[in-house]
Amino acid sequence: MDQKKVIIIGAGPSGSIAAALLQKKGHQAIILEREVFPRFSIGESLLPQCMAFIEEAGMLQAVIEAGFQLKTGADFLCGDKRSEFYFADKFSPGFETTFQVQRDRFDALLATEAQAQGTVIQWQHQVLGADFSGAKPVLTVCDEQKATYQTEADFVLDASGFGRVLPRLLNLESPTNFPVRQALFTHIEDRISGADYDRKQISIVIHPKMADVWYWLIPFSNGRCSLGIVGEPRLFDGFADNQQAFHALVAEEPNLSALLANAVYDTPINGIKGYSANVSALHGKGYALLGNAGEFLDPVFSSGVTIAMKSASLAADVLDRQFNGQAIDWQRDYAQPLQKGVDTFRTFVTSWYEGGLQDVIFYNQQQPNIKAMICSILAGYAWDERNPYVKNSQNRLNTLVELCRITA
Ligand code: FAD
């Protein structure tokens, strides 16, 4: 078989993992990335499930040795209610820990690892156009000198994240069922000194008065944290600017206020709005969409990078089989298996904002076996159909919510 050339748009986690996997299978992966790395990205708390894809791509040792903050679980807080989930207690087999990562460093590391495996990365090459009408896909690209050129491939994987290159160019954008939400976030020197504070957990903190408003606190290994707040845009109305809104809203939450009493806010407040997105199709002749270029749900369960890597792993496998002459049905072999886990997360995200999942999380008579199944999904094992909360997520979760509410 001739070596096949796969162009990947974007060097985020989905792009680098897909590239490394394709190189391992004997194909030539070329990434076109519009930025130079390291560059900032939001999405810093990983899930244990994604370690399996990092391992599959041959990058596990490099990630372990990079000195990122170990993550062992999630700590949910709502006023004086607290509920901790330790990934080691999960139902599904697999990695029990992961990391909380500064994405500039993490994404650069994955890209370097992909390069070490033979991937060619063209930095500051922005994809502007795509034509799938001929025998092979042709992309129009603007290079670092601002010169435009065309390039041909055997297949294109769109890993452009919120750039959403092919969804925009091919009119694949489709409405999401989630309302528009907005996040404000920053990095701080946290100076947290409390002896009972565990840097190995992400904290998800619910606003004392508005159950659909929540904060994340993601500690890094260098004494700094990522701190963010999520709500519908009207939450941020009436403030002079993001800076004022952020500080006022953090001050409204007593747990965070106490924890961060000595924090140094030394970085501008950043924001992103209307990030939930969907597409009408995850594939077409000559291309497939990975990670956020396909669907993005919501940040609350830190599922974005895990879904991005799962899509890379599935697509690399399906594409390799296609190159080897197997009859491939991208809907059956790629979109549907990917969708299974995305739908599990969708059920959980929807229930979180409706309040049902919050009642489950803070339920005071939790059964260890049920908690283990919920914990599995919080650890990213959303494709493990041995877990009833994956196989039949909607019905099982609705029943559990009812039970918790009746007996609370
Ligand atoms: P990206 O990481 O976005 O990478 C896409 C790359 O494509 C970029 O480098 C970009 O420069 C490049 N690109 C774009 N357009 C072009 C173009 N035209 N030509 C060439 N290159 C291009 N996920 C988690 O797992 N954990 C979290 O804690 C978490 N928190 C989040 C908080 C918020 C507020 C939001 C909005 C998201 C969060 N996410 C989180 C989601 C996470 O950020 C994404 O799911 C993840 O980065 C997706 O990876 P990706 O590889 O698909 O795309």
Side-chain angles (χ1 to χ4, degrees), residues 114-125:
Q115 281 173 312
Q117 297 184 35
T119 302
V120 174
I121 305 187
Q122 303 283 7
W123 300 106
Q124 289 182 289
H125 283 226

Side-chain angles (χ1 to χ4, degrees), residues 91-107:
F91 166 87
S92 300
F95 286 88
E96 295 178 352
T97 62
T98 185
F99 296 100
Q100 300 181 142
V101 301
Q102 294 91 335
R103 284 286 301 277
D104 53 355
R105 236 168 25 90
F106 179 71
D107 288 13

Side-chain angles (χ1 to χ4, degrees), residues 48-69:
Q49 164 74 92
C50 83
M51 303 309 288
F53 309 121
I54 292 172
E55 182 178 46
E56 189 189 353
M59 303 179 183
L60 187 60
Q61 205 51 33
V63 169
I64 289 172
E65 287 169 5
F68 293 119
Q69 173 64 53

Side-chain angles (χ1 to χ4, degrees), residues 9-15 32-35 37 39 41-46 103 107 125-128 159-165 168 183 185 202 216 218 230 272 275 290-293 296 299 302-306 308:
I9 310 172
S14 62
L32 305 176
E33 166 57 56
R34 73 174 171 194
E35 309 277 345
F37 281 18
R39 57 92 181 90
S41 177
I42 195 64
E44 297 141 329
S45 192
L46 306 181
R103 284 286 301 277
D107 288 13
H125 283 226
Q126 180 172 9
V127 175
L128 300 177
S160 64
F162 292 119
R164 302 184 65 75
V165 172
R168 281 189 294 104
F185 48 86
I202 183 176
W216 75 71
I218 301 174
V230 175
I272 181 168
Y275 36 71
L290 307 184
N292 274 21
F296 179 68
S302 306
S303 58
V305 171
T306 297

Side-chain angles (χ1 to χ4, degrees), residues 40-41 83 99 147 155 216 228 253 261 289 306 355 360 373 394 404 408:
F40 178 84
S41 177
S83 178
F99 296 100
F155 203 87
W216 75 71
E253 206 298 309
L289 311 180
T306 297
V360 169
M373 292 171 186
Q394 183 89 58
C404 292

Side-chain angles (χ1 to χ4, degrees), residues 254-265:
N255 294 296
L256 283 176
S257 301
L259 214 47
L260 299 175
N262 298 316
V264 180
Y265 289 78

